[in-house]
Amino acid sequence: MQNFFDKHGKLLKNGSFVAMIGIPFLLYFAAMNDATALVYALLGAMGLSMLVAMKVG
Amino acid sequence: MTDLLLVKWLLAFSPIAVVLILMIGFHWGGGRAGAAGWFTALIVAVLFFGADATLLAFAQMKGVLLSLYVLYIIWMALVLYNVVDETGAIEVIGSGIKQLTADKPFQLLILGWVFASFLQGVAGFGVPIAVVGPLLLGMGFPPLVAVAVPAIGHSWSVTYGDMASSFQAMIAVTGLSGEYLAHWASVFLGITVFMCGLAVVHVYGGFKAIRRSLVAIVIIGSVMAATQYALATNGLWTLAGFVAGMVGIVASILVSRLPMYRNTNGGTEEAPSTDGPKMSLTFALSAYIILIAIVAPAEIIGPLHKFLGSVKLSLMFPEITTSQGWVNAAGLGKKISVFGHAGALLLYTSVLSYFVYASRGYYKEGALGRIWAKTVKSGVSTSIGIVSMVCFALMMSQSGMTNLLAEGISTVFGEAYPLVAGAIGTLGAFMTGSNTNSNVVFAQLQMNTAEIAALSVPVILAAQTTGGSIGSMLAPAKILVGCSTVGLSGKEGPVLARTLTYGLIMTAIIGVLAFLNAAG
């Protein structure tokens, strides 16, 4: 696992940054359209990008 | 406070505590600690403050709009710095300045106080320490002094430096106008100018060095503080730090002509450069002259300002309430002016500067690629820290946690609250490594507390951002950068101990000033 993070750290870091910026736009439109299930899924994705940031940020 | 309220207050404080513990105790970076704070805020907001998924979704979006507002400046400032640095111009500017005088304390003032502040005005993010530290080491100063001096010397210019990104963040978070906040912020930061100058020479030579440099500190400090005040209070806060630093360089050149500081080396404008063509000091500064030429008209000329600000991006948010009754009013999120934003002005400057330097052949092959790579390398880590911290700060404010913290602090400290307002800003910068992040996390809390305690909001927020500015000299992240450039890696403790003494004294003085002026 650690090898994976070492090998792809830069990509994961850039990816988590892009996700942190991009996912809230989807969250906003899901929340405005009362798509509750999608909001939960996207909050999960946001959490995942934060987890990655905690590992490689 | 009842026991239940105390428990809830501690829970509301827990995201900040997590960030503090991880950054100070475990030496995590801002990005990693911010993400941990985000999780803590999410859990506490849902379980104890009645936030639902929709509220969290809107909080993320508001946080990203706010982050983009600040990141636009940060990324474009990094581009400009790298456009200039790639030509070797930063080295030329540093070398030109150090040849002005042979007086050691005055050399420290010029490089560690004035030039470092100028660099903070144009770049920030540890650049002043990273650039000035090796220059001082090369001039024969001890490594500890070489790191501590620029760390202390540049800190007064952090709020208005880097196109005032920290000040802009405070405006964005509080929703107050810059004109309303600028007076007191400039007064407190102006006093900090002198404190930093005194501390810089004291680090090197104690009170004897202060006596020798007092005339220079008074003259140059007055010029920089007055310039900063005049620009910031007239709506040009984006230029206040940078122009104050630039005017400080000119004042330093004039002061170096005084008999007591006169150069024995014979100053020259030419400085050794890299393999490419030689560059004069004036030409090296051309990017910053272009910056003034672009920003000043864009901010001062009304029709141009209006035209550039005609395209603004934002999103509308509906009213949303937590299950515990905390109401977030409907309204627009942070508006971003695509073509008139400080970040856009930096972009225009970068493009023009690139062509000016390229026209004289100062770029080697592959320069654009290197500029981009350096910008991304520095920008992504900083950006992750800012986005995660802004998003958790927004979750806290949208779920009522920030307000509860403010009420608790106001209850405990009462009228003595201004004494600790500066210390809160300093703590924020210390824990997050950035005045901007400190303002994002604490400015709203400070504003709410001031309102509850019927204290002057601009005075309390001035103490917040001045404390944040001072705190940047203590930030472990910056000390780490400085130590790594002068071969002190692993020996950051003694440097931090040195800056801590000066930082705490300055923070205490700002607290007293806030206390004397904050009575509503």
Side-chain angles (χ1 to χ4, degrees):
Chain A
M1 193 68 174
Q2 191 56 45
N3 284 345
F4 174 80
F5 283 112
D6 291 342
K7 195 175 172 187
H8 302 288
K10 200 174 160 187
L11 184 69
L12 288 167
K13 195 171 173 178
N14 293 347
S16 71
F17 171 55
V18 172
M20 276 182 202
I21 296 285
I23 291 170
F25 284 91
L26 303 174
L27 265 171
Y28 173 79
F29 289 107
M32 288 297 276
N33 291 294
D34 294 324
T36 312
L38 188 56
V39 168
Y40 280 114
L42 289 167
L43 278 174
M46 189 77 181
L48 190 65
S49 68
M50 289 289 175
L51 267 181
V52 173
M54 272 176 71
K55 187 70 191 166
V56 298
Chain B
M1 243 189 290
T2 65
D3 287 348
L4 185 64
L5 259 181
L6 181 63
V7 170
K8 214 167 167 191
W9 190 93
L10 289 171
L11 283 166
F13 185 68
S14 61
I16 296 170
V18 164
V19 171
L20 272 174
I21 292 165
L22 290 175
M23 289 193 76
I24 298 168
F26 293 87
H27 306 294
W28 280 30
R32 296 179 69 201
W38 184 90
F39 276 110
T40 314
L42 181 99
I43 292 164
V44 174
V46 171
L47 295 182
F48 302 101
F49 285 83
D52 63 8
T54 308
L55 184 143
L56 295 174
F58 288 143
Q60 303 310 306
M61 190 63 246
K62 285 178 184 174
V64 164
L65 282 178
L66 227 161
S67 303
L68 288 174
Y69 186 88
V70 178
L71 292 179
Y72 197 0
I73 301 171
I74 289 173
W75 278 77
M76 292 307 120
L78 280 170
V79 168
L80 178 61
Y81 175 75
N82 288 317
V83 161
V84 179
D85 189 42
E86 185 66 24
T87 63
I90 296 290
E91 193 188 338
V92 171
I93 296 168
S95 302
I97 289 171
K98 80 180 179 189
Q99 291 178 50
L100 287 172
T101 179
D103 183 88
K104 286 281 184 184
F106 192 41
Q107 283 180 341
L108 275 181
L109 280 177
I110 296 176
L111 277 171
W113 185 42
V114 181
F115 183 54
S117 304
F118 166 75
L119 286 176
Q120 179 63 33
V122 299
F125 317 109
V127 166
I129 307 173
V131 171
V132 174
L135 282 174
L136 290 176
L137 191 71
M139 290 165 68
F141 290 101
L144 194 146
V145 172
V147 181
V149 160
I152 295 166
H154 86 286
S155 60
W156 65 270
S157 72
V158 177
T159 289
Y160 289 126
D162 190 34
M163 297 294 277
S165 55
S166 303
F167 190 67
Q168 303 259 42
M170 190 164 79
I171 292 170
V173 170
T174 59
L176 299 171
S177 74
E179 286 81 2
Y180 179 63
L181 297 171
H183 167 72
W184 279 108
S186 306
V187 169
F188 286 4
L189 289 163
I191 292 164
T192 312
V193 171
F194 296 99
M195 293 195 288
C196 288
L198 292 169
V200 157
V201 285
H202 188 266
V203 170
Y204 175 69
F207 287 104
K208 193 178 165 192
I210 287 182
R211 274 196 298 277
R212 182 168 173 71
S213 308
L214 202 56
V215 173
I217 293 171
V218 169
I219 296 173
I220 300 168
S222 301
V223 168
M224 291 196 296
T227 305
Q228 178 177 253
Y229 181 87
L231 289 169
T233 53
N234 283 289
L236 287 170
W237 49 80
T238 48
L239 286 178
F242 150 64
V243 176
M246 209 170 201
V247 172
I249 291 174
V250 175
S252 303
I253 293 168
L254 296 176
V255 171
S256 72
R257 303 286 188 260
L258 293 174
M260 60 198 297
Y261 303 120
R262 190 157 289 164
N263 183 17
T264 54
N265 292 347
T268 170
E269 278 216 336
E270 292 289 335
S273 187
T274 46
D275 308 334
K278 296 260 164 122
M279 189 188 288
S280 72
L281 181 59
T282 314
F283 193 77
L285 286 166
S286 52
Y288 304 112
I289 296 165
I290 292 170
L291 181 62
I292 296 174
I294 287 179
V295 174
E299 299 290 344
I300 294 168
I301 302 171
L304 179 64
H305 184 73
K306 199 174 169 187
F307 172 73
L308 289 170
S310 54
V311 180
K312 284 184 178 153
L313 299 180
S314 189
L315 288 168
M316 185 68 196
F317 292 89
E319 180 180 291
I320 190 152
T321 310
T322 66
S323 65
Q324 298 183 8
W326 176 256
V327 181
N328 296 292
L332 279 173
K334 188 68 198 162
K335 283 185 266 189
I336 300 169
S337 168
V338 180
F339 302 111
H341 190 279
L345 304 182
L346 280 165
L347 177 62
Y348 310 146
T349 306
S350 302
V351 173
L352 266 175
S353 304
Y354 178 83
F355 285 115
V356 167
Y357 289 123
S359 69
R360 295 270 189 100
Y362 285 115
Y363 289 114
K364 292 176 197 157
E365 206 179 316
L368 273 179
R370 285 192 297 278
I371 289 167
W372 174 245
K374 283 183 199 169
T375 303
V376 171
K377 192 179 174 191
S378 314
V380 170
S381 296
T382 311
S383 303
I384 288 176
I386 287 174
V387 176
S388 58
M389 293 215 193
V390 170
C391 283
F392 97 64
L394 260 290
M395 274 195 281
M396 287 178 65
S397 66
Q398 299 281 295
S399 59
M401 291 157 74
T402 307
N403 189 62
L404 183 72
L405 285 176
E407 281 180 359
I409 294 169
S410 171
T411 306
V412 171
F413 287 98
E415 288 179 359
Y417 173 71
L419 286 171
V420 296
I424 291 173
T426 304
L427 181 70
F430 178 67
M431 78 187 207
T432 63
S434 140
N435 188 183
T436 302
N437 286 348
S438 174
N439 287 351
V440 165
V441 175
F442 289 124
Q444 200 176 33
L445 170 90
Q446 298 254 31
M447 182 178 71
N448 293 357
T449 310
E451 284 169 349
I452 291 166
L455 296 165
S456 164
V457 170
V459 169
I460 295 298
L461 288 176
Q464 153 65 34
T465 197
T466 307
S469 213
I470 292 168
S472 64
M473 78 170 72
L474 316 173
K478 287 193 175 178
I479 302 287
L480 280 165
V481 169
C483 287
S484 68
T485 59
V486 300
L488 274 183
S489 292
K491 295 175 185 166
E492 293 84 8
V495 179
L496 186 59
R498 190 67 75 94
T499 58
L500 194 64
T501 311
Y502 297 103
L504 291 179
I505 292 169
M506 289 184 206
T507 303
I509 292 170
I510 293 301
V512 172
L513 288 172
F515 180 71
L516 295 174
N517 293 287

